[in-house]
Amino acid sequence: MARPEAPVDRTVRARAKLADFLRARRAKAGLTYRQMAELTYGGPSKSTFERAASGATVPTLEIVEEYVLRTMTKEEEFKGGVDAAIDQARRLWTEARRAVRAPYYLHKAPDPALISNLADFSRALRDQHVWAGCPSPGEMSLHASTGMLPKTTAYRIINGRALPVTPDQALAFLKACDVHASEGLEWLAAAGRAFAGSRSHSDWIEAHARLQGEIAKTRDDAPAPILKAVA
């Protein structure tokens, strides 16, 4: 008879919530950790899945998503997959990473409306990265559009050594930090203020207008005002 699983470590509440979610999925699927590890050859091990649901650490996002995939229930399979569960797992993972990595002064996501110069823009991008759970440059590169955010570029932005070279690269960085398209509009407006007077200023204004148009096509409410060029 298998020994009972150790209780969830509840030292960090957000970490425990992620562990509870993962354990509930495994119980509902009726699988052991060994069975989960044996579902595919060469994947995460039994002990890796056990640690992921221990509450003692925050596993990688890749392991969390793999855990969810391997605990797909018959009901989810019938309904077409685990997209909703993956989304919930990502939210819980982000909250857990934020709880153990965010500095004491960061209590909410950065507000793009407060950005007025390039230093503000760089700091806000770094804070958004922390707020998103500090994904690694590799994770960000995978999450962004193909080829838009090389790992080295993400690393330099995270460390305050560079700014996005183009609006598309900025949006790729923000996408990898869980910023949605409608919020990206505010960030592009902020970048337009930050880059005022530079050669690339018009690029940011045009990108803002383009994204605004794309968003307006998908919703019925009135579009946001278009960013105006600074004389």
Side-chain angles (χ1 to χ4, degrees), residues 26 77 99 104 124 126 170 184 201:
R26 185 177 70 84
E77 189 174 358
Y104 71 91
R126 284 178 278 143
H201 182 221

Side-chain angles (χ1 to χ4, degrees), residues 39-51:
L39 283 176
T40 57
Y41 177 76
S45 66
K46 169 181 174 290
S47 59
T48 297
F49 285 129
E50 287 177 330
R51 284 195 301 271

Side-chain angles (χ1 to χ4, degrees), residues 10 28 33 61 95 124-125 192 195 198 205 223:
R10 300 197 176 276
K28 191 170 183 179
Y33 289 118
L61 182 56
E95 290 170 5
L125 289 172
F195 282 92
S198 71
I205 294 174

Side-chain angles (χ1 to χ4, degrees), residues 12 34 59-60 66 99 139 205 219:
V12 178
R34 186 175 301 280
T60 66
E66 191 66 33
E139 290 170 334
I205 294 174
R219 64 186 187 186

Side-chain angles (χ1 to χ4, degrees), residues 25 33 52 73 78 119 201 210:
R25 285 195 59 82
Y33 289 118
T73 64
F78 177 76
H201 182 221
R210 185 169 60 252

Side-chain angles (χ1 to χ4, degrees), residues 138-157:
E139 290 170 334
M140 295 178 70
S141 184
L142 288 173
H143 189 51
S145 302
T146 304
M148 290 306 304
L149 187 66
K151 289 189 292 185
T152 52
T153 301
Y155 176 83
R156 287 171 59 80
I157 295 171

Side-chain angles (χ1 to χ4, degrees), residues 118-139:
L118 294 178
D120 289 344
F121 188 42
S122 175
R123 189 180 307 110
L125 289 172
R126 284 178 278 143
D127 284 348
Q128 182 62 45
H129 171 255
V130 175
W131 190 251
C134 297
S136 70
E139 290 170 334

